Amino acid sequence: YEHLGMPRTFARALLVAAAGSGLRQSLVTPQRAAGRELLQARRFAGGRMAPITLLTTEDSAEKAEKVAECGRGLAEASVATEDVKSYYWWEGKVNFDPEWRVSVITATSFEEARTAIEKVHSYDLPMIIYDLAKL
């Protein structure tokens, strides 16, 4: 997040706020879009894909578990869920909703992982953020 010019704490707050904003769309900044080719080119020894971390949220624990199950089916996946408090501005007022964040670390390509998660996600256009995994 620092490479986007924002402190990590602000980026986390943005993630939590955007998750419940009703935007319901994938968030891909120009820097991330330009970095896709770089990510695809990065390989570990043995030809494995460099791991990425994907983050998304759901509005219930049951729905988050469905996304987590999907994530566990991806290549070399590690999945964690946690409940978060989402504060966001919507229709002229500040709202608060509990949400469940799903974090997936996988060697699967972003496009493949995003497609799989979108199929099981309850939102029409879920917010899915990715970054290179911190190992």
Side-chain angles (χ1 to χ4, degrees), residues 1-12 14 29-32 131:
Y1 304 102
E2 290 82 7
H3 68 281
L4 296 177
M6 65 177 100
R8 185 171 292 275
T9 53
F10 175 76
R12 286 184 182 142
L14 178 63
T29 64
Q31 293 88 350
R32 295 230 190 271
D131 202 354

Side-chain angles (χ1 to χ4, degrees), residues 17 21 87-95:
S21 68
Y87 294 89
Y88 57 97
W89 187 265
W90 184 250
E91 296 182 347
K93 64 179 181 171
V94 176
N95 294 279

Side-chain angles (χ1 to χ4, degrees), residues 69-115:
E69 274 301 312
C70 173
R72 288 182 192 102
L74 299 173
E76 302 176 41
S78 171
V79 179
T81 59
E82 65 180 321
D83 57 324
V84 295
K85 296 176 177 125
S86 179
Y87 294 89
Y88 57 97
W89 187 265
W90 184 250
E91 296 182 347
K93 64 179 181 171
V94 176
N95 294 279
F96 164 79
D97 288 311
E99 290 192 305
W100 286 259
R101 181 171 37 218
V102 181
S103 173
V104 179
I105 299 175
T106 180
T108 302
S109 72
F110 171 71
E111 292 301 324
E112 215 176 305
R114 180 183 57 104
T115 300

Side-chain angles (χ1 to χ4, degrees), residues 26 52 54 56 58 63-75 77 79 102 104 106 108-124 126 128:
S26 295
I52 58 172
L54 292 100
T56 191
E58 277 283 9
K63 292 174 185 175
E65 183 54 36
K66 189 174 179 180
V67 172
E69 274 301 312
C70 173
R72 288 182 192 102
L74 299 173
V79 179
V102 181
V104 179
T106 180
T108 302
S109 72
F110 171 71
E111 292 301 324
E112 215 176 305
R114 180 183 57 104
T115 300
I117 289 172
E118 284 178 339
K119 286 180 182 177
V120 299
H121 207 288
S122 69
Y123 298 166
D124 291 335
I128 300 172

Side-chain angles (χ1 to χ4, degrees), residues 8 39 42-45 48-53 76-78 104-107 131-135:
R8 185 171 292 275
L39 175 65
R42 290 181 60 134
R43 303 262 180 204
F44 281 132
R48 294 184 333 198
M49 183 68 76
I52 58 172
T53 301
E76 302 176 41
S78 171
V104 179
I105 299 175
T106 180
D131 202 354
L132 293 174
K134 305 278 191 238
L135 299 177

